[in-house]
Amino acid sequence: MSCLCDEAISSRRAVRVMVIDDSPTIRGGIETCLSCEGFVVQSFSNGVEAMHWLSQPDALLPDLVFLNSVLPDESGYGVTRLLKARPQFTHTAIIMLLYQNSVVDRLKARLAGAKGCLAIPFGVQNLLQVTQKILSASSSEKSINTRVAINHEHSPLYVVWL
């Protein structure tokens, strides 16, 4: 993955992003791209490491979490439920990374508490689009009504519940 840094983004408050994925390629790609865009990124290879780090008193809570649905210790759905059960993560948006981008997997992610899904493999443009949509929706929390932003009607590369 490669990305182009945007000078305008660097002037805003640094958004904290956590990436939880057992693939060093996916973790590194997301970390490189989002760091280049001015985000502060912390990565973990599994949910247990991430949860342990988050339990530390000096840990800064993430604004956004990219979380693989398939992890070696605890599924991404389970980690999502654990995070959403804690009050300090009420405003943390979770984007589930899906290898099997099926309707069932997207529904499981939504029911677990994810705000969106991103199909693996994905490109830099899709990563930045879903990130922007999630952060825009999270910052404004516009309405209680559920709206869906999908980039393609039949086999979406990403889905965001706004």
Side-chain angles (χ1 to χ4, degrees):
M1 276 187 193
S2 64
C3 61
L4 299 173
C5 291
D6 184 343
E7 299 300 323
I9 292 177
S10 64
S11 64
R12 70 170 189 246
R13 177 187 85 75
V15 174
R16 293 180 300 276
V17 177
M18 179 178 281
V19 181
I20 307 171
D21 197 304
D22 59 331
S23 167
T25 304
I26 292 173
R27 270 194 331 267
I30 294 172
E31 189 169 340
T32 299
C33 184
L34 294 182
S35 294
C36 185
E37 294 293 331
F39 296 94
V40 176
V41 184
Q42 179 73 37
S43 297
F44 298 93
S45 63
N46 63 62
V48 172
E49 287 179 8
M51 295 303 287
H52 177 71
W53 185 82
L54 287 169
S55 69
Q56 303 300 314
D58 59 340
L60 296 174
L61 299 180
D63 300 299
L64 175 62
V65 176
F66 283 92
L67 178 57
N68 195 318
S69 62
V70 181
L71 292 171
D73 53 359
E74 172 79 41
S75 76
Y77 307 112
V79 174
T80 299
R81 284 189 292 273
L82 286 171
L83 288 173
K84 289 303 181 178
R86 297 181 179 181
Q88 65 265 40
F89 297 104
T90 302
H91 299 292
T92 299
I94 297 173
I95 299 173
M96 193 70 68
L97 302 173
L98 301 173
Y99 283 106
Q100 306 235 349
N101 189 24
S102 69
V103 172
V104 171
D105 288 325
R106 292 191 301 268
L107 180 60
K108 284 170 52 177
R110 175 74 169 144
L111 291 173
K115 287 292 241 176
C117 298
L118 180 61
I120 298 170
F122 53 85
V124 170
Q125 193 64 23
N126 294 123
L127 175 68
L128 295 175
Q129 285 173 344
V130 74
T131 301
Q132 183 59 41
K133 285 186 185 299
I134 289 287
L135 292 175
S136 294
S138 294
S139 67
S140 61
E141 290 295 307
K142 295 176 183 163
S143 74
I144 251 174
N145 297 330
T146 299
R147 295 178 313 167
V148 180
I150 302 176
N151 74 320
H152 186 276
E153 302 241 347
H154 299 292
S155 70
L157 295 176
Y158 68 82
V159 176
V160 176
W161 295 282
L162 305 172

